[in-house]
Amino acid sequence: MATNRYINTPVTSSVDILGKVTFPYYTTTKYPEIPLETTDIYAITTDGDRLDLLAQQFYGDSSLYWIISCANPEKINLGSLFIAEGTEIRIPVNLSAMLNSYSSLNNK
């Protein structure tokens, strides 16, 4: 079952000049820097690899694709789930530290 890739994106609404609440909208998500760690895994991508599929494979949660993206800023565009075949990427494994940083940055 596919998960909503926007599930962790903050949603807000505002009040117009008449005091009516506007429709909810997504706000800007802030992502933490992912430091190098000795426990990181390195993998070479194959045909058909996508960040959400890799996140599902390594973390059991496809919505955590952003962790792999943030860990490889010189190789992956944060706005895309796709990655070129044959690209060596770093896959961080210290999820709790990254999720805590994410929550702190986004006031969750």
Side-chain angles (χ1 to χ4, degrees), residues 21-104:
V21 175
T22 63
F23 290 102
Y25 59 90
Y26 290 108
T27 59
T28 301
T29 302
K30 299 172 188 163
Y31 296 100
E33 289 188 30
I34 310 289
L36 285 170
E37 299 210 14
T38 57
T39 56
D40 291 345
I41 297 170
Y42 289 85
I44 297 176
T45 58
T46 59
D47 184 41
D49 278 343
R50 292 190 337 226
L51 296 181
D52 57 342
L53 299 176
L54 291 168
Q56 183 66 42
Q57 177 184 343
F58 287 97
Y59 305 137
D61 185 344
S62 62
S63 71
L64 298 178
Y65 71 92
W66 61 267
I67 294 172
I68 300 170
S69 182
C70 289
N72 298 278
E74 68 286 347
K75 298 176 183 178
I76 300 171
N77 177 351
L78 188 58
S80 176
L81 293 176
F82 297 96
I83 184 165
E85 178 181 359
T87 304
E88 182 181 49
I89 58 170
R90 178 172 66 101
I91 301 175
V93 295
N94 187 356
L95 283 181
S96 61
M98 291 175 283
L99 294 175
N100 288 338
S101 294
Y102 175 90
S103 293
S104 178

Side-chain angles (χ1 to χ4, degrees), residues 3-11 26 61 63-64 102 108:
T3 59
N4 180 348
R5 70 186 253 195
Y6 299 104
I7 197 157
N8 293 318
T9 303
V11 177
Y26 290 108
D61 185 344
S63 71
L64 298 178
Y102 175 90
K108 288 191 165 208

